Amino acid sequence: MSEEREAREAEEAGEADATRETTAAASTARPLRRDAELNRRRILQAGREVFADRGLQATLNDVAHHAGLGVGTVYRKYPDKQALAEAVYAEELDEIAVMAREARDTNDAFGALADFLEKALARAAHNRGLRELMRQGTVEGAGLTRARQAITAHCEHLLARARTEGALREGVTEADLAPIAAMIDAVMALPAEQPSQLWRRYLVIILDGLRTRPGQAELPGP
């Protein structure tokens, strides 16, 4: 009986030790996971700021220096610049998609569309990397595709409502929005001595051209 009791006590002691080790490992893992998540957020924020300021030619080394982290830490999270740029701009476009979705709740569809375009372009005006992404499309990924599709769907909804309300010029379609953004981007890219808000002037001119008015000429092309 004593041998059985000793075996049982040993087994119970082993289980207790295993429980303590598991608890200790879990308590160690939690701060490690927290640190890893904090580093990930620091890298993303640094990527946002560096790409916005320097464009997509900035390197992961630039981002690591800006974040105050070792280069190895950045490379462990994002193996190359493409992966980091995709993560940064998937978030950025998701936020723009939220702006477009919120615009749908406004009663005046054309006014909501105009307001959304102004806000989205204002973000691009201060984000060199975002403008390069819109212009060149060199960064791709599932997150970016999803966000672009959401923005497109919300804009199509606004255009359809504005058309139904009789506020949108006959012949204007969702396919016109990308060239409009490209035209505004060209104004934003003018030499630095140009007024930084010059693009707003041309956005107003373009928006006036999108409104329906009596006696307007028929738009050429499809």
Side-chain angles (χ1 to χ4, degrees):
M1 295 293 293
S2 60
E3 291 179 357
E4 292 179 1
R5 184 167 57 252
E6 288 176 0
R8 186 167 59 251
E9 289 175 352
E11 183 180 350
E12 291 172 352
E15 291 174 353
D17 288 342
T19 301
R20 283 194 293 272
E21 289 174 2
T22 301
T23 303
S27 63
T28 302
R30 279 194 293 271
L32 285 175
R33 285 196 295 270
R34 284 197 296 270
D35 289 346
E37 176 60 17
L38 285 173
N39 282 344
R40 189 183 73 84
R41 294 307 310 172
R42 285 175 66 183
I43 294 167
L44 282 174
Q45 183 58 35
R48 274 193 174 211
E49 293 170 2
V50 169
F51 290 144
D53 182 52
R54 305 184 198 180
L56 295 175
Q57 78 275 9
T59 67
L60 286 186
N61 288 9
D62 296 329
V63 174
H65 179 75
H66 190 76
L69 296 170
V71 175
T73 300
V74 176
Y75 275 92
R76 281 193 295 274
K77 297 293 181 186
Y78 300 98
D80 52 41
K81 184 173 68 174
Q82 172 83 14
L84 177 58
E86 179 187 344
V88 165
Y89 285 107
E91 281 196 350
E92 191 86 36
L93 292 186
D94 277 339
E95 292 171 8
I96 293 174
V98 170
M99 291 163 47
R101 187 188 68 220
E102 291 173 346
R104 293 176 57 162
D105 297 330
T106 304
N107 291 331
D108 175 8
F110 188 93
L113 176 66
D115 186 58
F116 164 70
L117 289 175
E118 191 276 333
K119 289 178 179 177
L121 290 167
R123 290 181 74 134
H126 301 287
N127 193 323
R128 181 175 170 183
L130 180 58
R131 295 203 309 277
E132 291 175 0
L133 180 75
M134 293 166 55
R135 188 186 318 126
Q136 301 168 4
T138 53
V139 178
E140 294 297 337
L144 290 170
T145 299
R146 183 195 65 249
R148 285 191 181 108
Q149 289 172 344
I151 294 169
T152 299
H154 296 318
C155 287
E156 287 175 352
H157 179 86
L158 288 170
L159 285 168
R161 277 184 51 208
R163 192 176 294 114
T164 300
E165 293 170 5
L168 186 67
R169 183 173 184 166
E170 184 69 27
V172 174
T173 72
E174 59 274 4
D176 293 310
L177 295 183
I180 287 170
M183 286 187 281
I184 296 298
D185 173 69
V187 175
M188 291 175 179
L190 288 174
E193 60 267 19
Q194 296 288 340
S196 61
Q197 298 300 306
L198 186 63
W199 66 270
R200 294 181 185 275
R201 172 186 176 89
Y202 293 99
L203 178 60
V204 171
I205 293 172
I206 290 171
L207 289 173
D208 277 351
L210 295 179
R211 293 180 185 275
T212 185
R213 301 190 189 285
Q216 282 179 318
E218 182 178 347
L219 290 174

